[in-house]
Amino acid sequence: MNAWIWGIVGILLTPVVAGLVGGIDRVITAKMQGRMGPPVLQPFYDVMKLFSKQNLVLNRFHHDLVICSLIFTVAAVGLLFAGENLLMCIFALVVGNVFLVLAAYSTNSPYSMLGADRELLQMLAAEPMILLAAVGIYMATGTFDINLIASGTHSAIQYLPGVFFGLIYVLTIKLRKSPFDLSTSHHAHQELVKGLSTEFAGPSLALFEIIHWYETVFVMALIYLFFASRPIVGIVAVLIVYFLEILIDNINARVKWDLMLASAWVITLIFGLGNLMLLFILK
Amino acid sequence: MFEDQEIVTIERSELISRAQKISKEGYRLVQIGCTKQSDHFQIDYTFDKEYRFYNLRLSIPLDHPTLPSISHLIMPAFLYENEMHDLFGIQVSDMILDYQGKFYNIAKKAPFATISAADTTTEKG
Amino acid sequence: MAKRTIVPFGPQHPVLPEPIHLDLVLEDEMVVDVLPSVGFIHRGLELLCQKKSFQDMVFVAERICGICSFIHGVGYCQGIEKVMNLDIPKRAQFLRVFWGELSRVHSHLLWLGLAADAIGFESLFMHSWRVREKVLAIFEETTGGRVIFGAAKVGGVRIDISQDKLDQLAIALDEIQKEYEPLAKVFLEDYTVQHRWSEVGYLSKEDAHQLGAVGPTARASGLPQDMRKLRYGAYEDLEVEPIVETAGDCYARCVVRVKEIYQSLDLMRRVIHKIPAGEIETKVTGFPQGEYFSRVEQPRGEVVYYVKGNGTKFLDRFRVRTPTFANIPPLLQMLKGCTLADVPAIVLSIDPCISCTER
Amino acid sequence: MELAIFLIFFPLLPAVLLVFSKNAFFQKWITIIASTVIAAASVLFAIQYMKGSGEYSTFICPLPNQLIMIGDIILALVFLFICRKLPLRRYWIPLLVIVQYGLVLFYDFSGRMPEVTHYLYLDGLTAVMAVVIGIVGTLIAIYTVGYMKHYHHEHPELSNRTHLFLATIFLFFSAMFGIIFSNSITWIYFFWEITTVCSFIMISYSREPIAIQNAFRALWMLLVGGLSFALAIIYLADSGYTLELQRLMMMPVAFVLLPVLLICFAGMNKAALYPFGNWLLGAMVAPTPASALLHSSTMVKAGVYLVIRCAPILKGTTAGAMVALLGGLSFLAASAMAVSQRNSKRVLAYSTIANLGLIVLCAGIGTSFTLWAAVLIIIFHAVAKALMFLCVGTVSHQTNSLDIEDMQGLIASMPYVTIIMLIGLSGMFLAPFGMLISKWAVIQALAIRSPIFPAIVIFGGSLMLFFWTKWFGQLIAIPNARQQNLEQGIGIEWVALWGLAILTIAACVCYPLIGQYWLVPMYGWNPMLYDKIELSIAIMLGLMLLPPIILLIRKKHLVYTTPYLGGANVANPQEFMGSLSSPRPWAFKNYYLTRFFGEEVLMRWTIAGSIVLLILMFLVEKL
Amino acid sequence: MSIKKSPWIIHYDGSSCNGCDIEVLACLTPLYDIERFGIINVGNPKHADILLITGGVNQQNKTVIKNLYDQMAEPKAVVAIGACACTGHFFAECYNMLGGVDTVIPVDVFVPGCAARPEVIIDGVVKALAVLEKKQQEKVTA
């Protein structure tokens, strides 16, 4: 029963926390760019405004597919907070992502579909590292069960510094930040217009933003799991990592997909797999 | 300080050979321009080599103005030639990329050819 | 593989501040064919010379483009001045160089910002434009306008800058340089910037010459071509050496512009140092009769003004060949075989000014 | 036991009948009735042996060796007959036949073959395979009836030999049941070569030069496997150990590792693992039902079935690790190359190789958990992949194209086929459908082993996600204009399509049941079955019900608009105002990343790598 | 929630001389920083609330402007920036010009200037916010 409550709390709190984090992100980014930036609550204003707008669609399915994507992404976060199987949570997130890509495909509009293909490329680049991190956590803690990982006595980080680094590297992809915001970026000034989300208008776009909030919380929770035995350290680590991502966003141009894919895989192999091999041999 | 500008008047039939010669000499095309005069179109092909200004000038009649294209010899010429076609109504044959009169996509046909400068000056001057 | 992705790139596209349209044909992300179209901004302002007097045409010339507005005005005035055989006071010529070079700095900073933005480097965009605002502040202090200020006129300039002000400006220029230096370093050294620009949009020296490239586009391909070497106006007294790079890619074009900002700042200091006292304009009487091709160096390259007067207050012909127009054929060459992600970077690398191009 | 014998011999009846019935009506009903009987029998058989711990046959076979000998002689003659028209420079194909049969027959004649007491062995694994062949196979057979009608309608230049094609299918069923039920290795070998013949007949069906050429390539590659099998038999006969598969698996590893590796080699060869993967791609010229039946859901499964059978010996050995690595390499390379393919059948072929590789990877490691996952993949893959092949076959009939890019917006013109195809695709990669559950099980099972294995699965899985999703997306890219319905003329095929679609979903829903009642008795309890996981899978499944529901609800607040085309829109949403100021259609084609994942880039390395691994596999055995 | 707190803009260059364009862009940058008001330049008509147009309308871009306007979701507002966008300025006399933006789409706010200064542009956008809010309320009541 406890698990259910945790899951629901996670689902309910995520938009609040992620929205606030998003607002703070925008303020910090603005400061780094020598500007004042928007109010901290701006992400909420944006989403609420989007809900109040007309729902422009190209056909009657793509809005629905965004809803499906939201359902699975929410489920992923819910399962994560409920302490379910880590791999299953990641797969749920992947399904959510796939639905998002399908939504973009279903619009049958060139920029949107190019964005969909780019999003697939991003998944191709990021997914191995994330799953490998889960395997790493398993090797370090002996379980895929998030409850057990979280209540364990030692943190996975001490065994998995390489995996942790690799995860931070691909985190930029998941957070849609420079240098890896290829499929759709927070700023529209890219060659694909808005890529994946080009055709989402009004409520659809609002849902897309919310999906992104859940995704953000999901990957941050993944970071937290590395420090699970010491909650305070974990939260501090999450904050530092997020700040680092903002910094990276601000000091990098957007790279091209081939570099993204190649570098993400190389990092995954060297730091992720290398770390695991060492762990395997030493244990 | 003003630069010296060499302007050579040629015949239309000479155009291709002159253009070929001058581009072989290492001149680059600066511009192709057209000016409507009271009885003819004055066409200027401006070239430059190491800051040396060299201009070929030829004139063609106002009725059914036609020109051969030099874009086969000097690729950038196609832009100017399409421009001349749209603004002055000059038919340029064999351009490497012919926009078929849709280069500027203007509603009015050959605006520079219909109003003559001399006309307006007499009206307003 | 006959099946290819075909997308319209523009006319409205967030990376392009101005409307230009390309039919892009892609295979995966590789550009296999590109066809440009223009005319979204074509106003037909050359024909205004039949409705506005040759002196009013200065304002039209300035509004050919709002970025290099001042030099457009100067180029036009110079043509008329040659046709009318006017002798322009030295001080006016120096002031023209001062504002002209300041325009170059403003334009290049603007370009640096936009180019950074096109490759997703927002903070660099912001900081470039932050520095640019200081340049605009100088315009505002000296002329009252920020981007279009109508300081040039046939026969000289409209406004003088006092000696005190000039001294203050020297300090302001130093400050701009100080703020600009770290920025320039990022453009020259950052890894991701190099990844996006190095070996992208290559244009060989031969192609650059053959296809008639001008300005930084030509200079980045190794052509030492700078119309300031014609020593028009006050450049007679201010020696300028073209800044040349040989790599011929987008990165080289960026380097040329980054270095030209230093060059221009330096030129302005020399102007302040050397500027003679005296009148700022000569009286203009009569109407232009005759023709001249006036060539000056814009931030984007060589601009050609053809003016032909017929002895009335209206010109017979007023024609502009702007640098972007000349750079379109090289651009098409550069776009061959690039990837979709490179398209904005390459298009912006010639610093396109569509409103110049289409007039 | 009787059921097993029935299943081996019964299909021969329709096979013989079909050879003589050129009438389409008879063909249809013979196929339907025989298929129903086989399906029913195999289900009965599965129920009977699901929980059983394995049962040996007790009957005594009169003149066993002599029977098989005669069979082998006939087969050898058939092979030589097939090769009769081959040019001399391809001498090695008949040579392969002569060498392997020469050796086997020599041992047969000299009477050195050890005695076999239990000719058949039936357990849970055979039950799984029997169901796959009996249900998936027969659905494909039914589909074939409808398919061939269209096929000949479209290719009037080909002579109609549908009756032979159908007969071959039933002959093939018989051989397949023979392989999985037999305990005698010589018997398996006999049936094994029959499937090779069937494969040849089906690939060369159209008798076009390319088909003949690919059929011979498949033939000689499969004969290499046969040779390896023959060598294993001779080794065992020579050393006098045993010719019973089950007893072989109980022998000390050191004695029998070499023959087991030879058998594994034959299995991997049949499963089209690299370096032999290319015969499977060539086999795609066959009519689609053949691809579905032989080259994805059953015959190639016989290969992995054998490797799974060998798992007890492979487990924990270095050679076993090499087998696993070979499987892993095939999985990774085939998934990667599938990314660069736009021909739907080739994508399916590559993904088949990939999945077979994954199964072999699991079998090579051979722990109970990995075998658990391997069997799961066999089930899910057989169902979903057969479904995909049949869908692609139907689509290609209606649209005359196998190109995935031509399937853009197929949902508008062929809604039902597309929905079925989407079910199949979901089954291939989307959680919580079959393949993803299997993949998850694999990662779980492998995580305790060297991290190399989970890494292979993870990378390959990501690649699969890429190419499946882009296909999926292309199907549902909804066109802006109304499309003509192209589903007329699909007849009996619906039975197979819907049947397999329902099976795909059912297999997924029944996952816990399959686990508990089928796999647990075979491989023991698995932590993947505990309540919590089942709960999360149940939640995911429940959520999966939502998308169709959401999609069906009509919405009122939507406002329809046109696609973003940079403001260059024209009246037709499929066009934009082009540079020459005339409307030009825009187009979208997917990424194929040929620079990274093209065949030219990867094939050489894959073949080289797999050959090295093969050599290593036999070398480490020697050490 | 009021649309006032999060107006997203899209900018299209009609046929301006770039003067107003760069001033619009300057609004985004540190000195003026319109993100203070939650304004983002989204560059995609489907996401935008306010269409900023600089420069007048000519033969070729009239359909583009119309397309962009049609693709925006209600409620939406249009701001014409600069003298050219308001009336065509002295380009109105040119043969290829149709005039101000209001010749093709309804304009809610006119911002004067040649080139319009960033302060005035921001002022114009803020005026457009009131228009947007009114439209939103009308939509709610309707």
Side-chain angles (χ1 to χ4, degrees), chain E residues 28-91:
Chain E
L28 308 172
T29 57
L31 190 63
Y32 299 100
D33 186 26
I34 47 169
E35 208 193 352
R36 282 178 298 159
F37 310 112
I39 300 174
I40 303 176
N41 181 14
V42 287
N44 176 350
K46 307 212 163 175
H47 296 181
D49 305 304
I50 304 175
L51 175 59
L52 303 187
I53 298 191
T54 52
V57 180
N58 75 4
Q59 283 297 339
Q60 192 166 349
N61 68 28
K62 68 176 181 199
T63 48
V64 178
I65 292 173
K66 186 108 187 32
N67 284 336
L68 291 178
Y69 181 75
D70 288 345
Q71 286 188 343
M72 288 170 67
E74 296 281 358
K76 58 191 169 190
V78 178
V79 182
I81 288 174
C84 300
C86 296
T87 63
H89 200 26
F90 56 50
F91 296 125

Side-chain angles (χ1 to χ4, degrees), chain C residues 329-355:
Chain C
L331 173 66
L332 297 180
Q333 171 71 19
M334 290 174 211
L335 282 172
K336 275 182 194 148
C338 73
T339 66
L340 176 59
D342 294 332
V343 172
I346 295 174
V347 171
L348 282 176
S349 80
I350 65 160
D351 197 355
C353 178
I354 309 304
S355 98

Side-chain angles (χ1 to χ4, degrees), chain A residues 212-265:
Chain A
H212 184 61
W213 288 352
Y214 276 96
E215 261 182 327
T216 309
V217 166
F218 187 95
V219 287
M220 286 301 145
L222 218 53
I223 294 285
Y224 173 82
L225 281 184
F226 278 82
F227 302 89
S229 68
R230 302 164 88 178
I232 308 284
V233 181
I235 289 166
V236 172
V238 166
L239 292 178
I240 291 173
V241 167
Y242 198 85
F243 181 78
L244 205 64
E245 291 294 332
I246 300 176
L247 191 65
I248 292 170
D249 183 31
N250 271 297
I251 57 171
N252 277 299
R254 181 182 305 111
V255 302
K256 286 186 263 179
W257 70 263
D258 31 10
L259 181 72
M260 173 188 74
L261 186 60
S263 71
W265 277 28

